[in-house]
Amino acid sequence: MVLMGVAGCGKSSVGAELSARTGLPYLDGDDFHDPLNVAKMRAGTALDDADRWPWLERCGRALADHPRGLILGCSALRRSYRNRLRSSSGLRELLFVHLAGSEALLHRRMAQRTGHYMPLALLQSQLDTLEPPAADERAVTVDIDRPVPEIAAAILARAGSR
């Protein structure tokens, strides 16, 4: 399962909650960025596709390295990025969970968080890049405007039907 969405949508918090409920490990895709990508984002520069492809390959390999299951937090903003995760992991039936919220909610969350290299200034570039999953993708969309335990429960209920 890949928890996807723009910065501030709660991938890490929801991933930790899902991990506790399912016993599956949670890995944060941010940990797979190379130092140059992190420095670029910290400086307020959005990543381009050339920056993202190697990172997506590393994320896909992490999925492949966990044959018993993994919850991965990864923005996966475009369909082509999700396709790269599918191909690099070898998992054609990979489930994407789009954590979706209003721009105002995302802005508020990012403004409140501390200790993360992704500045609030890059939120708009992520929103501009986002291609929500299409009907033909194996994906569910979950609204993030509620407490994390409720989000996790909704994901588990919807994931079971997918």
Side-chain angles (χ1 to χ4, degrees), residues 33-148:
H33 277 297
D34 65 40
L36 293 175
N37 281 4
V38 173
K40 193 172 184 178
M41 289 182 282
R42 192 180 308 272
T45 303
L47 300 181
D48 59 26
D49 284 355
D51 299 317
R52 287 187 179 104
W53 293 133
W55 168 67
L56 290 164
E57 288 290 328
R58 289 188 293 274
C59 288
R61 283 195 303 274
L63 288 160
D65 289 344
H66 289 82
R68 293 183 178 208
L70 175 70
I71 301 163
L72 175 71
C74 175
S75 56
L77 297 175
R78 290 189 173 148
R79 183 185 189 117
S80 61
Y81 304 163
R82 295 186 292 275
N83 288 342
R84 178 64 61 103
L85 288 168
R86 287 183 193 98
S87 66
S88 62
S89 69
L91 301 170
R92 304 305 302 163
E93 295 301 313
L94 191 55
L95 176 66
F96 289 87
V97 177
H98 179 203
L99 300 176
S102 70
E103 186 173 344
L105 175 61
L106 294 163
H107 189 277
R108 206 168 41 252
R109 285 181 172 194
M110 284 193 68
Q112 293 172 347
R113 74 182 186 179
T114 59
H116 197 281
Y117 58 79
M118 177 69 105
L120 178 58
L122 290 181
L123 176 59
Q124 190 58 54
S125 72
Q126 288 211 325
L127 290 167
D128 292 345
T129 302
L130 178 64
E131 296 172 0
D136 66 334
E137 292 186 80
R138 187 167 187 259
V140 296
T141 298
V142 177
D143 182 16
I144 61 168
D145 194 13
R146 52 188 150 172
V148 169

